[in-house]
Amino acid sequence: MNKELRHVHCETLMEIAEKNKNIMVLEADLMGSVSTKKFADTYPNNFIQCGIAEANMIGVASGLSTVGKVPFVHSFGCFATRRCYDQLFLAGGYAKQHINIFGSDAGVTAVTNGGTHMPFEDTGLMRLIPNATVIDISDAHVLQAAIHYSYKHHGINYIRSTRKALPSLYHSKDDIEIGKGNVLREGNDLTLIASGVSVHDALEAAQIIEDRSSFTVTVIDMHTIKPLDESLIIKYASTERIITIENHNIIGGLGDAVASCLLSNNCKVSMFHKLGVNEQFGQVGSLEYLKETYGISAEKIAEFSLQKLLAL
């Protein structure tokens, strides 16, 4: 399945709406960008165009939740989180409402929309809301599973994703269990733990590393960053060398979550590093340029990993 994820997003919401009339889809004047116009046309009574007013949109979603509706809201990841964080925290989390957020164009996938639209902090913000679920999408099947899970799981559920297509990693949404990571490649010398679009670069980097050395590499898709699959991390800490890769700030994201897990469980590792955005803002550029600039391209991951492995 290599459809653009914005289309998968809309189709999955429509699939739920066919059987569940309590679903509501809310947009911040972006239904053309994320392909929800088809939903609005098919289910006009289940759609609200809130306009460019994300904080108000979360307030509307909270109100809908109090009367038994299940709202799904969308905007750019930075606007769906940072711009309306107080509303998410209080009207959503504190009030124990059920609000599902689709934050699109996560991290570098915002490309030419540039730094103002490029969220590198959204995972960190959403992890700080008590009992929230945070999911970083690595392929269309993960997105389908995340949306179905969010519909059923009462609380704050945050899904961050590119709008564009990603190569398939799985056969169906049934291969995905939210809250459990997936091992995509087995190795003995290094474990790469990645999320979202960075999973694909981690897989490519693993192949480069093995082609250029005698090291073998495990790659884990940690699509659910909260709740974190700590048992899987503990198991693969046996390689004693772990590098996390994320399309996000290295502060507050996947790397920090994994580091906390390793420390709190007294895992003995000889090497641990976090790859991601480091004290930088977003900028305009192609996806390839941005990955290279922030050190999360396959080649950059492979170079860094080999340097650290050979230095041990």
Side-chain angles (χ1 to χ4, degrees):
M1 180 188 292
N2 285 320
K3 290 182 181 178
E4 288 194 347
L5 296 194
R6 59 180 181 163
H7 297 307
V8 175
H9 166 252
C10 180
E11 290 168 7
T12 307
L13 292 174
M14 291 181 69
E15 179 184 326
I16 293 172
E18 286 177 16
K19 300 177 181 178
N20 302 278
K21 300 309 177 188
N22 64 342
I23 189 174
M24 295 294 297
V25 174
L26 284 63
E27 277 290 351
D29 201 28
L30 288 167
M31 63 181 181
S33 300
V34 79
S35 196
T36 47
K37 186 178 186 304
K38 186 176 180 181
F39 184 101
D41 291 342
T42 307
Y43 300 103
N45 294 329
N46 300 80
F47 182 86
I48 301 175
Q49 175 59 269
C50 294
I52 306 174
E54 289 84 359
N56 181 63
M57 180 170 66
I58 299 303
V60 173
S62 178
L64 289 168
S65 175
T66 65
V67 295
K69 303 297 184 181
V70 181
F72 282 80
V73 307
H74 162 260
S75 188
F76 283 92
C78 49
F79 304 145
T81 57
R82 189 178 69 228
R83 179 171 287 178
C84 49
Y85 191 65
D86 198 42
Q87 286 74 20
L88 285 168
F89 196 96
L90 294 175
Y94 183 78
K96 294 182 171 56
Q97 298 305 326
H98 187 181
I99 303 176
N100 306 305
I101 306 102
F102 182 67
S104 66
D105 274 9
V108 295
T109 67
V111 291
T112 53
N113 280 309
T116 58
H117 289 56
M118 199 165 285
F120 292 147
E121 65 292 314
D122 53 328
T123 294
L125 289 170
M126 299 307 289
R127 283 181 65 219
L128 283 168
I129 297 178
N131 304 308
T133 299
V134 180
I135 307 166
D136 200 359
I137 303 304
S138 55
D139 88 343
H141 301 299
V142 177
L143 178 56
Q144 290 174 324
I147 292 172
H148 280 282
Y149 171 90
S150 297
Y151 175 77
K152 296 175 183 177
H153 182 258
H154 187 96
I156 301 298
N157 300 300
Y158 179 60
I159 302 168
R160 74 189 306 261
S161 175
T162 177
R163 297 176 185 172
K164 303 293 176 54
L166 288 174
S168 288
L169 296 171
Y170 305 100
H171 297 294
S172 79
K173 71 178 188 301
D174 297 327
D175 295 330
I176 309 302
E177 181 180 352
I178 300 304
K180 297 293 181 183
N182 289 68
V183 179
L184 303 180
R185 183 185 182 113
E186 294 270 8
N188 299 316
D189 303 301
L190 171 67
T191 298
L192 298 178
I193 303 177
S195 64
V197 297
S198 292
V199 175
H200 300 272
D201 294 284
L203 281 168
E204 188 178 340
Q207 187 60 56
I208 295 170
I209 292 166
E210 294 190 6
D211 288 344
R212 296 179 185 175
S213 72
S214 59
F215 298 114
T216 60
V217 184
T218 291
V219 177
I220 295 174
D221 175 7
M222 196 60 73
H223 48 74
T224 310
I225 300 173
K226 184 184 178 185
L228 191 67
D229 189 351
E230 294 200 357
S231 61
L232 188 64
I233 294 168
I234 293 166
K235 177 181 177 180
Y236 281 89
S238 61
T239 62
E240 298 185 359
R241 305 170 185 93
I242 294 176
I243 297 175
T244 60
I245 306 104
E246 58 193 307
N247 172 33
H248 185 271
N249 197 316
I250 58 171
I251 299 171
L254 173 66
D256 275 2
V258 173
S260 179
C261 169
L262 294 170
L263 183 62
S264 61
N265 289 284
N266 296 312
C267 295
K268 308 299 182 184
V269 295
S270 60
M271 184 182 88
F272 176 79
H273 296 284
K274 300 183 295 183
L275 291 181
V277 178
N278 188 5
E279 297 293 344
Q280 296 161 284
F281 292 100
Q283 59 184 293
V284 172
S286 68
L287 188 59
E288 294 73 21
Y289 169 80
L290 293 168
K291 284 181 180 180
E292 191 79 7
T293 298
Y294 295 112
I296 55 174
S297 66
E299 185 64 36
K300 289 288 188 181
I301 296 165
E303 288 177 1
F304 180 89
S305 300
L306 280 169
Q307 179 188 16
K308 297 302 180 181
L309 286 167
L310 293 169
L312 290 172

